[in-house]
Amino acid sequence: MIVSPINKGWKIIFHKAHALLAMDIGLKLDRSLWAIPKYWAAGMESIGEHDNDQPKWNGRDNLTDSGAPLDYRQRKEVDLKQAKAVAKSAKYKSGFIVLMVSAHFHQLYGESKELKVLKFLEEMEHKCDDIRMNLGLEKDLVSQCYSFIRFCDELSLALCQNDFENQKEPVKIKPIVGESEIYLSQLPSGEFQIEPWIFAEDKVEFNTECFTTTTDFYSEDEELRNDLDFLHPSEKTFLFKKKDVVIKSLLVEEEH
């Protein structure tokens, strides 16, 4: 869960919703940035696949010690069971998806000191070597495809986490290709800009669903789940406009 405090209770965006937002971002990026056109559909599916099999409502798994909803950044241990479930599901869909989720696990857990996590990553790496050979794919092109997916994931997280509100400078995101970082910023109007512009259209809009709680603390997961009105989520909208479009709009307003 991605958890943010509000005046009363909490705002929660579930990771599956964040993954759906990341997929929407991918669908609206410039397609020339995707290195292996043959696996476009599998690539987009892998964006939504990587956060499957969560959350689990069990005891106090989704609560802090004080009883607040637990933000994913507060988790101290790798959820290896979830990672294995994602890898198992992926193999029934596409070997390419296995390559993408494996790359994501290495991105997330590559610096772990847990032996069981390192063993899992090593096993995934061996499987990926076989898959790449079987599919006849170049490692560099596969890596660029994952960079595309990683960018979608990081931009989605930045939006869901309100990173642009928590710092005065634009949010930096690693590029898909090249060395120049990509910068996310929010205008006083509430609209967003990203430099350099890498979407296919000059204006794009994204939406994600979130939930608010009615209280601050819970004794168990079931209380939190029962407090969330899953049938009536609220919606967050993110409107992006290319810099040239914003400037033209301002000039038109000045003329009138």
Side-chain angles (χ1 to χ4, degrees), residues 69-238:
L70 180 67
D71 183 90
Y72 80 99
R73 289 161 288 185
Q74 296 172 287
R75 292 192 180 277
K76 298 177 181 179
E77 295 183 355
V78 174
D79 188 349
L80 197 54
K81 186 176 180 180
Q82 183 264 341
K84 288 182 176 180
V86 169
K88 182 178 180 180
S89 173
K91 75 177 182 180
Y92 293 111
K93 292 185 178 181
S94 161
F96 186 83
I97 294 178
V98 175
L99 295 178
M100 294 298 100
V101 297
S102 176
H104 193 63
F105 294 149
H106 278 81
Q107 169 84 3
L108 294 177
Y109 311 135
E111 297 183 2
S112 174
K113 306 300 182 186
E114 298 181 57
L115 292 179
K116 60 182 180 180
V117 174
L118 296 176
K119 181 180 178 182
F120 168 70
L121 294 178
E122 184 178 3
E123 291 172 351
M124 289 297 296
E125 190 169 357
H126 290 320
K127 290 177 183 178
C128 288
D129 288 340
D130 290 340
I131 291 171
R132 277 195 306 272
M133 184 175 297
N134 183 53
L135 297 178
L137 297 176
E138 296 180 21
K139 195 170 184 177
D140 288 348
L141 293 180
V142 172
S143 295
Q144 186 177 329
C145 286
Y146 175 67
S147 292
F148 185 106
I149 289 170
R150 186 261 314 144
F151 172 84
C152 298
D153 183 64
E154 291 183 1
L155 178 55
S156 175
L157 282 176
L159 295 173
C160 292
Q161 294 169 180
N162 298 322
D163 286 351
F164 45 86
E165 294 181 359
N166 298 328
Q167 59 184 63
K168 295 181 180 179
E169 298 297 322
V171 177
K172 295 180 183 179
I173 303 176
K174 289 187 294 184
I176 297 172
V177 293
E179 300 295 329
S180 299
E181 289 178 317
I182 295 175
Y183 294 89
L184 167 70
S185 57
Q186 186 176 30
L187 302 174
S189 63
E191 297 170 350
F192 291 88
Q193 282 188 348
I194 195 163
E195 292 289 340
W197 187 260
I198 57 174
F199 293 110
E201 304 293 335
D202 290 347
K203 182 172 71 172
V204 293
E205 183 176 293
F206 304 107
N207 302 284
T208 192
E209 293 182 353
C210 57
F211 301 89
T212 55
T213 70
T214 61
T215 188
D216 295 321
F217 303 104
Y218 305 87
S219 61
E220 58 184 22
D221 279 4
E222 192 66 17
E223 288 185 6
L224 170 59
R225 182 169 65 173
N226 290 337
D227 190 32
L228 298 173
D229 186 355
F230 289 105
L231 296 180
H232 301 92
S234 58
E235 189 174 72
K236 290 190 68 175
T237 299
F238 309 98

Side-chain angles (χ1 to χ4, degrees), residues 1 15-16 50-56 75 79 82:
M1 299 186 296
H15 259 63
K16 290 184 179 182
H50 77 280
D51 278 320
N52 279 348
D53 207 49
Q54 58 174 313
K56 301 179 183 69
R75 292 192 180 277
D79 188 349
Q82 183 264 341

